[in-house]
Amino acid sequence: MIKQAEERLKTFGYAMKEGDEAILAFSIQKVENSIKNDCNVSSVPDGLVNTAVDMAVGEFLTAKKTFAPDDIAGLDLDFAIKQLQEGDTSTVFATGEGTLTHEQRLNNFLNYLLAHGREEFSCYRRLRW
């Protein structure tokens, strides 16, 4: 999953730096444990791998934002998605309009990565006895 996360980071314009692999590995392990505990399974189901990758990237970028904000200064938030709507949930990235600051867009993006797909967990939940 680490290679998938690295590729996903590249799509956002982030180039891995020295020491990033340890942070990314920790983020992946944190997300895997969260999914396994929430679903009561022994491994991340195949259907949740992409969600896990996005969540791990969100964890990684959140850590970078907190501890090394200069590392993500060049992150490309002007990608194709402006608004995403699924059911009654809507996420707006407001790119290029000047309505949101870079910091606000980054926070919205990180929240999206960390939360999107959690509703799919219920498909893989097992009862605990």
Side-chain angles (χ1 to χ4, degrees):
M1 192 180 307
I2 196 159
K3 291 297 179 200
Q4 291 170 305
E6 287 175 359
E7 288 298 317
R8 187 72 165 138
L9 284 165
K10 282 182 191 175
T11 65
F12 303 133
Y14 184 83
M16 295 289 285
K17 296 170 179 45
E18 186 177 331
D20 281 353
E21 273 201 27
I23 299 167
L24 186 57
F26 177 79
S27 298
I28 290 169
Q29 186 176 25
K30 183 177 178 182
V31 167
E32 285 178 342
N33 287 338
S34 176
I35 291 172
K36 290 189 289 188
N37 288 335
D38 196 1
C39 295
N40 192 31
V41 294
S42 59
S43 63
V44 175
D46 290 341
L48 293 178
V49 170
N50 290 334
T51 299
V53 168
D54 273 355
M55 290 174 70
V57 166
E59 288 285 345
F60 173 82
L61 291 174
T62 299
K64 282 297 200 174
K65 178 184 173 227
T66 303
F67 299 110
D70 292 340
D71 285 357
I72 60 170
L75 202 62
D76 181 16
L77 297 177
D78 294 330
F79 44 88
I81 298 175
K82 176 182 173 188
Q83 181 172 353
L84 177 68
Q85 186 163 353
E86 291 185 26
D88 61 350
T89 304
S90 178
T91 303
V92 179
F93 293 106
T95 59
E97 295 178 5
T99 57
L100 296 176
T101 65
H102 180 75
E103 178 80 12
Q104 290 169 323
R105 283 190 285 155
L106 177 61
N107 288 338
N108 286 346
F109 178 60
L110 293 176
N111 289 336
Y112 170 79
L113 287 174
L114 291 168
H116 179 71
R118 282 194 173 268
E119 64 278 357
E120 296 175 21
F121 286 14
S122 61
C123 297
Y124 300 95
R125 275 199 187 107
R126 298 200 177 175
L127 293 175
R128 294 179 196 205
W129 294 99

